[in-house]
Every structure is written in C-alpha cells, then in structure tokens.
Amino acid sequence: MLAMLIALAAAAIVFNILSHGLFLSPRNLWNLAVQTSVVGIISTGMVLVIVSRNIDLSVGSLESFLGISGAFLQLQVLHIGAPNTWWAGILFVVVLGGLCGALQGAITAYLGLPSFVVTLAGLMAWRAVAWLVTRGETVTPLDSTYSLFGDGSIGVAWSWVVGAAIVLIVAALALNRRVSRSRVGFGNRQWWLDLAGIALVAAVVFAFVATMNAYTYPRSVVGRGIPVPVLTLIVIVGIMSCLATMTRFGRYIYGYGGNPEAAQLAGVPTKRVVTIAFAIVGVLTGVGAVVTTARLNAAPLSIGQLLELQVIAACVIGGTSLTGGSGSIFGAIVGATLIQSLLNGLVLLGVDSATQQIVEALVLLAAVWFDIIYQRRGA
Amino acid sequence: MTQGPPLVEMRGIHKRFGGVHAIQNMHLTLYPGEVLGLLGHNGAGKSTLMKILAGAYTLDTGEILVSGSPVQILSPRDSKRVGIETIYQTLALADNLSAVANIFFGREIVNAFGMLDEARMERDAISVIRRLNPNFQNFHALVGGLSGGQRQAVAIARTLQFNAKIIIMDEPTAALGPQETRMVGDLIRQLKAEGIGIIMISHDLHDVFDLSDRVTVMKNGRHVWTGHVAETTKDQVLEMIILGKVPDGSYAPGMTSDFG
Ligand SMILES: Nc1ncnc2c1ncn2[C@@H]1O[C@H](COP(=O)(O)OP(=O)(O)OP(=O)(O)O)[C@@H](O)[C@H]1O
Ligand SMILES: [Mg+2]
C-alpha cells in the first residue's frame, strides 16, 4: 500500500515536471478527481467481490444498460424538468443496478456457476439489451438537475463543511474506539498517537478541499469546490469502508474469501453474502451510470467501454488479491487514482489514446505481477 | 455417570457419497458429563459421522435425538442451535482473520447500531483462550501466521465461547505438544464436570483410555463395539479397529473374518 502511495507521488511529480506544472494545477487536479470518481465508486464494491473469490466482468456493459435505461425513463416516462424527475431517475437506475447485480450474484452463488462465466455473459448481454431499449440511439438531453450529479460542484463554503465533517467523523471513530475499550477494562494507546493520526487526516482533507476550491469558474474568482461526483465517491467510500470493516457482512465476506468451507461450517449464510456483494456492485454501477450520463448530459451506448478492467485494475493495484481474502477499499481508491493519474498525465503530454490504452494494459500486468510477488512473499 | 436420558442418540445412520457407502447403519449414544471416544481406522467414517451431527453433511437416512427429542440437523446452524459445537479435523479457521474474529466468526457481537463490538469480543476471546493457553498473546495477528498449537487453541476456544451442551472434538490434540495436550486433557475433565458431553476422536489410544468413559469403535462405516473403557484393553480395542473383532471373539455385523 505504501509502495502504491509512493508510486502515486512519483507519477505526480514526474508528470508535473514534464507538463511544466500543468499536472498539479488546481484545474487539472479537479478534473482528475472527477475522472477518478466513476472507477473509484465501482471499485469499492468490486473489492468485496474479489475478496469473496469472485470477479465481476460485467460492470462496463451494465453501466451502459443502466445509463440508457435511466435516460429512457426520464424522456419517455418522467418528464425532463419536472420536479421529481432527477431523483426518480437516479433511484430507478440504482435499484435496477442492484437487481441486475443480485441476479448475477444469485446465479453464481445458488447455481454454482463460476462468476467469471456469469459476468462474462453479463458483459456480452447487458450492452445488447441496452441496444434493444433504444435501437442504438443516444438518449439526450437529460434533466438539468440530474446533470448536476455529473458536472456540478458544491461551492467553497460547503466544501469546507464537508472537509470538517470528514475530520469530525474520523475523530469520533477514534474516540469511540477508546471509549469502548475502556468500557471493557482495556488500556488504550497513547492519546497523542490518535491525535497525530487525526491531524494527518485533517491535513490531507483540508489540502484537498483547498485545491478543489482553488479551481475557479471562468472569468471569476469564485471557487468551484468539491465536484458532486467526487462528493458521491467520498460518501460511498465512507459507507463501504464501514460495511467492510465494521459489520457482520464485511466480516463474512473476508472470512468467506479466506476459507469458504470455514465460513459455511461457522453457519455463515455464504450464498446470501455472495449475492449481496454482487448486488452492491450493481448498485454502485448504477451510481457510476448516473455520474457518467449526467456528465455527458446524454446516454450513448458506448459508455463504460473497458470500465470493468479499469475497476479490476484499480482493486489489484490497490492491493486486492485476485485469489481472494484480502483487499481494502482505501487501497482500491489509491489504485483508481493511480490509473487515472497515468491516463490524465499522458493526455497532458499529448499522448494519443491508443498509446494510453497500451500503458493501461501494462499497468494492469504490472499490478497482477506485484500481486504474485506479494503472494510468494506471504507464503 | 451415564444416568438420565442421553444427550445425543444417533440411530440407523446411513450416508453415501456417490458410490461410497461411507456410513452404514451406524449408531452411538452420548450421556451428559461423559467423554465418548470415537475410534476407527483412517477412512472408517469417524469424521463423516461427526460432520453429520455438526450439520456439515446431511444424513441419507437415520435419526438424531438430542436430550430425548428428535432433531433435524440440516445445516451447521441447526447443530449449533441445539447446543452442539464442533472442532473439525481441519480446524476450519479463516487464515486471513485474527484469532478474535475466528472465535466469533458467524456469531459476532454487535452493538445497538449493528456494528461489530470489537472490544467486547476481544475481552471475551482473551478470557476463553487463556483457559487453554495462559501464554497466548497474538489476538490480533492473522490466524494463518500462528503455530499449529495456537491455531488449535483458537479452534477449541471457539467451541467454549457459546455454552455448548455437546462438544465434538475431531483430533483435538493432533498438532499439540505434550504440555498443550495436557492442558486440553485438563480442559476436557473440567468440561465433563460441568455436565457437558464430549465426543472425542483420537488416534492416540493412550489419550483415549486416559480421558474417555466409554468408547465406540467403527470400521468401514459400521458400528463395531461400544462399551466402558474399564471393560476392555488397548489390545482388544486395536483388534476391533483393525479387524472388527469384538472382545468375545466374534465379528461385528458386516465385518468379514479376513482382513479388510
Ligand atoms: N465429501 C466426501 N466426498 C466423498 N467421499 C467422502 C467425503 N468425505 C468422506 N468421504 C469418504 O468417506 C469415508 C470416511 O471418511 P472419514 O473422513 O469420515 O474417515 P475418518 O474415520 O475420519 O478417517 P481419518 O482417521 O483419516 O480422519 C472415506 O472413504 C472417505 O473417502
Ligand atoms: Mg477424520
């Protein structure tokens, strides 16, 4: 993990020098954050699926289906500009995503088909279903409130509020840990260690907020603040981290990934747990579809191409083992940021998109190779 | 000691795996506060019979009674619900979780918000594991990195945490050194005194004679003999295990007089 953070910092410095300071400009970092959000959002769920010794290859294709279905609903059933359209559209996409994910998860868990095959079928099928919905036409334009989920931002003041809230939550969790340990008569580590940790988080968070605020609207001094897709990512990272590390469900996913037989013998409802993990990826793919279509203000068939590979690469680069049992959501976010930084940096340097894809492929290979090295060292 | 209704009664149990008839018309009885040694050659069907009781396998035909009433054991959960805890031969630990997480795996303590109560689980895990091994320290280390003996301690601790009436131990001391084995022996006596019934599978006849009240011998998935350890000798038991030849010189049903 530390290695990945160092790699990220190194990539940032190299790109910044090569691009004569463009890479680390507020404007580029703001864009980079937005570009990272969709892969980041979905990767938080993909981590759990991979930890449970499965894989989901369908997310790119599913994103296309969900985006088009949601857009189709907005245009044909709801009405663009009507007060309920934006949230009903989002709810529909997210719920539909959950159902599609649960379907793939149930086929995997209850029928015992390998998830590789089930979701490969999903990869082939969902985009085709999307084509059937609109006969391949791009659905556009979309509701303007809905579009804020792709290109809106929350302004300077709210960005500081969000930053402060994150720091407060981290502090509250640290405090809660100390209180619950004292309650059962355990000692705690020195208070200044906790405090130093919180201070580090605060420094990173406030630096991030300041950067987002430093990117102003054209011909104005008003900062944009945290983009809505990035805020969405932040909230989802919070929820998913909590789910993974603080709930029974998370414990079951990791335990199942470590030893499926042990989980079954311990009475864990393993089939249900695996199905839920896939349903979560489906929901998050729905969120990704909302962000992507809202940003484009359109739902073309082509969205989500190779998205599954970027998401899986983000997980693996972030330390998720493809053999299951280990991986973290924070790691996946670092992985997603690293991939997007490379792509973004290459764009800044004027590298064409074919070369970008080759670099992406090499990064994926390198990440899996690292995984194998970690495994060997562990064994 | 063997008074009152049996804690567990298994009757007419059959189990097939494809063509393999792993358990045939097997029966056994366990009384409160008793240790029953379950003996047999490799592949005799001991683990399979116990996995049926633990809910890991479901029986083909036969019945199981717990404290006199018939029970349906279709899953590990069913088995735990009627008070049966199992230490599996493979230990069934998740190597990527800590000792604490393994002890509570499947039955985590949560707080009012449904969040894991790590501090309480850790406190309870420490007190139960120290019963087995006062020197145990690595509560937060991943179980995959622990020694064989420590792993076994975690697996045993898991059965003690939840007030079992019946504990199945499939080779509980296989990975333990002499001192740890003695500690498990002490623990078994202590559990017995609490009225818990224990079924212990072991290949170590010395241990079995030392700790068991009665033994049940099986061979080729069938019942050979059940009786008090005082009624028999290690040599006789070996004959039963290897040849299926019971103490009165005859052969148990289904055993041929020649070897195997
Ligand atoms: N899941 C399974 N599928 C097929 N056959 C099985 C299965 N489990 C056990 N068997 C077979 O059932 C028979 C009994 O095996 P079991 O593991 O119960 O023996 P055991 O008495 O515990 O032996 P050991 O002393 O080596 O642990 C063996 O022939 C084994 O191959
Ligand atoms: Mg066995």
Side-chain angles (χ1 to χ4, degrees):
Chain A
M1 181 55 52
L2 194 61
M4 288 307 145
L5 284 170
I6 292 168
L8 184 56
I13 291 167
V14 170
F15 279 128
N16 199 45
I17 293 169
L18 292 180
S19 66
H20 306 288
L22 274 182
F23 185 82
L24 288 180
S25 67
R27 179 192 155 153
N28 191 54
L29 291 176
W30 193 93
N31 280 319
L32 175 60
V34 173
Q35 287 156 8
T36 305
S37 57
V38 171
V39 171
I41 287 167
I42 302 174
S43 71
T44 62
M46 186 69 81
V47 168
L48 298 186
V49 164
I50 298 177
V51 166
S52 77
R53 303 193 176 193
N54 285 299
I55 195 86
D56 190 340
L57 297 174
S58 73
V59 294
S61 176
L62 183 61
E63 190 195 47
S64 167
F65 169 59
L66 295 175
I68 283 183
S69 304
F72 191 74
L73 182 89
Q74 282 188 28
L75 260 68
Q76 304 291 327
V77 181
L78 307 163
H79 297 282
I80 300 293
N84 294 332
T85 296
W86 68 272
W87 67 261
I90 291 173
L91 188 68
F92 173 77
V93 169
V94 167
V95 169
L96 185 63
L99 291 175
C100 295
L103 175 68
Q104 297 184 134
I107 293 175
T108 301
Y110 290 91
L111 302 186
L113 274 65
S115 56
F116 177 84
V117 174
V118 174
T119 59
L120 186 61
L123 168 69
M124 291 154 72
W126 294 124
R127 202 180 296 275
V129 178
W131 188 87
L132 291 179
V133 173
T134 63
R135 295 280 148 188
E137 268 174 55
T138 296
V139 188
T140 189
L142 303 179
D143 186 80
S144 58
T145 312
Y146 178 86
S147 289
L148 289 179
F149 285 84
D151 58 16
S153 42
I154 61 172
V156 171
W158 280 110
S159 297
W160 287 117
V161 171
V162 168
I166 294 170
V167 174
L168 276 179
I169 289 171
V170 169
L173 286 175
L175 187 66
N176 177 53
R177 190 182 136 78
R178 295 185 77 89
V179 170
S180 65
R181 283 184 67 85
S182 332
R183 200 181 296 141
V184 298
F186 284 163
N188 272 302
R189 57 180 180 186
Q190 275 103 337
W191 58 268
W192 55 263
L193 271 174
D194 277 340
L195 213 58
I198 295 167
L200 181 67
V201 171
V204 172
V205 166
F206 290 130
F208 171 75
V209 171
T211 309
M212 296 297 112
N213 284 347
Y215 179 35
T216 56
Y217 287 101
R219 292 175 299 280
S220 136
V221 291
V222 180
R224 298 178 190 238
I226 299 174
V228 179
V230 177
L231 181 64
T232 310
L233 173 64
I234 291 170
V235 171
I236 284 173
V237 167
I239 294 171
M240 292 299 292
S241 297
C242 171
L243 198 64
T245 61
M246 294 165 66
T247 68
R248 277 192 178 143
F249 170 76
R251 184 65 43 92
Y252 293 168
I253 284 284
Y254 281 82
Y256 178 81
N259 186 345
E261 195 198 357
Q264 208 250 323
L265 294 176
V268 169
T270 53
K271 293 175 177 160
R272 198 190 317 157
V273 166
V274 168
T275 305
I276 293 173
F278 277 93
I280 290 172
V281 173
V283 165
L284 296 173
T285 304
V287 176
V290 168
V291 170
T292 306
T293 54
R295 202 156 124 74
L296 295 171
N297 194 24
L301 197 59
S302 62
I303 61 170
Q305 302 270 18
L306 292 183
L307 179 63
E308 58 282 336
L309 295 185
Q310 291 179 345
V311 169
I312 293 166
C315 295
V316 174
I317 291 169
T320 302
S321 162
L322 283 173
T323 48
S326 77
S328 76
I329 282 157
F330 177 72
I333 298 303
V334 174
T337 311
L338 186 61
I339 293 180
Q340 287 303 328
S341 299
L342 286 177
L343 294 181
N344 174 292
L346 293 173
V347 172
L348 285 186
L349 301 183
V351 174
D352 57 84
S353 69
T355 314
Q356 285 171 37
Q357 257 187 35
I358 293 169
V359 170
E360 218 175 322
L362 293 176
V363 170
L364 179 64
L365 280 186
V368 177
W369 183 51
F370 277 136
D371 178 42
I372 292 169
I373 293 173
Y374 287 140
Q375 299 282 321
R376 287 217 192 105
R377 205 187 297 155
Chain B
M1 179 147 306
T2 54
Q3 305 304 308
L7 263 183
V8 176
E9 222 181 324
M10 300 180 83
R11 291 190 199 144
I13 307 287
H14 287 263
K15 178 72 189 175
R16 279 177 180 277
F17 294 107
V20 183
H21 208 156
I23 305 287
Q24 304 184 48
N25 197 25
M26 182 63 197
H27 57 92
L28 67 71
T29 316
L30 174 73
Y31 290 92
E34 135 175 289
V35 177
L36 176 73
L38 183 58
L39 301 173
H41 223 286
N42 293 113
K46 307 178 297 290
S47 293
T48 303
L49 185 68
M50 290 302 99
K51 282 189 170 181
I52 290 171
L53 192 53
Y57 295 152
T58 47
L59 45 75
D60 294 341
T61 51
E63 57 177 343
I64 301 174
L65 290 86
V66 172
S67 304
S69 25
V71 291
Q72 285 260 23
I73 299 181
L74 301 175
S75 71
R77 251 172 214 277
D78 291 342
S79 175
K80 289 174 210 282
R81 200 175 298 129
V82 295
I84 301 171
E85 290 290 332
T86 309
I87 303 164
Y88 293 94
Q89 193 167 8
T90 55
L91 302 184
L93 299 171
D95 283 347
N96 60 335
L97 299 182
S98 70
V100 177
N102 266 285
I103 288 172
F104 283 92
F105 192 31
R107 288 175 288 193
E108 291 77 7
I109 301 178
V110 292
N111 64 20
F113 307 104
M115 300 287 153
L116 299 176
D117 194 337
E118 302 281 1
R120 267 183 64 196
M121 287 195 275
E122 185 178 339
R123 179 195 61 188
D124 293 358
I126 288 176
S127 68
V128 68
I129 219 165
R130 290 266 160 89
R131 269 174 84 175
L132 290 156
N133 182 349
N135 305 319
F136 196 97
Q137 292 295 342
N138 313 26
F139 293 97
H140 294 290
L142 301 186
V143 160
L146 301 183
S147 72
Q150 287 173 321
R151 289 164 58 81
Q152 206 134 25
V154 173
I156 298 174
R158 180 153 72 181
T159 65
L160 304 181
Q161 185 58 49
F162 299 98
N163 299 322
K165 286 193 296 184
I166 298 142
I167 299 181
I168 300 167
M169 301 186 173
D170 197 345
E171 310 260 3
T173 57
L176 301 184
Q179 197 201 337
E180 289 161 312
T181 302
R182 206 170 326 117
M183 224 131 40
V184 171
D186 292 343
L187 175 81
I188 287 175
R189 285 188 201 92
Q190 197 182 324
L191 295 170
K192 238 171 87 129
E194 293 170 18
I196 292 169
I198 296 168
I199 303 177
M200 183 178 72
I201 300 176
S202 177
H203 283 282
D204 185 336
L205 279 188
H206 177 78
D207 269 2
V208 172
F209 272 71
D210 196 26
L211 293 168
S212 310
D213 301 291
R214 294 185 307 138
V215 295
T216 288
V217 181
M218 57 191 300
K219 178 171 156 62
N220 298 344
R222 293 169 179 269
H223 181 266
V224 174
W225 187 80
T226 296
H228 284 266
V229 286
E231 299 167 30
T232 186
T233 64
K234 284 179 200 164
D235 287 341
Q236 281 180 336
V237 167
L238 270 178
E239 279 205 316
M240 293 190 251
I241 292 173
I242 298 167
L243 301 172
K245 193 173 169 193
V246 298
D248 69 11
S250 66
Y251 287 89
M255 305 293 149
T256 48
S257 53
D258 48 27
F259 185 79

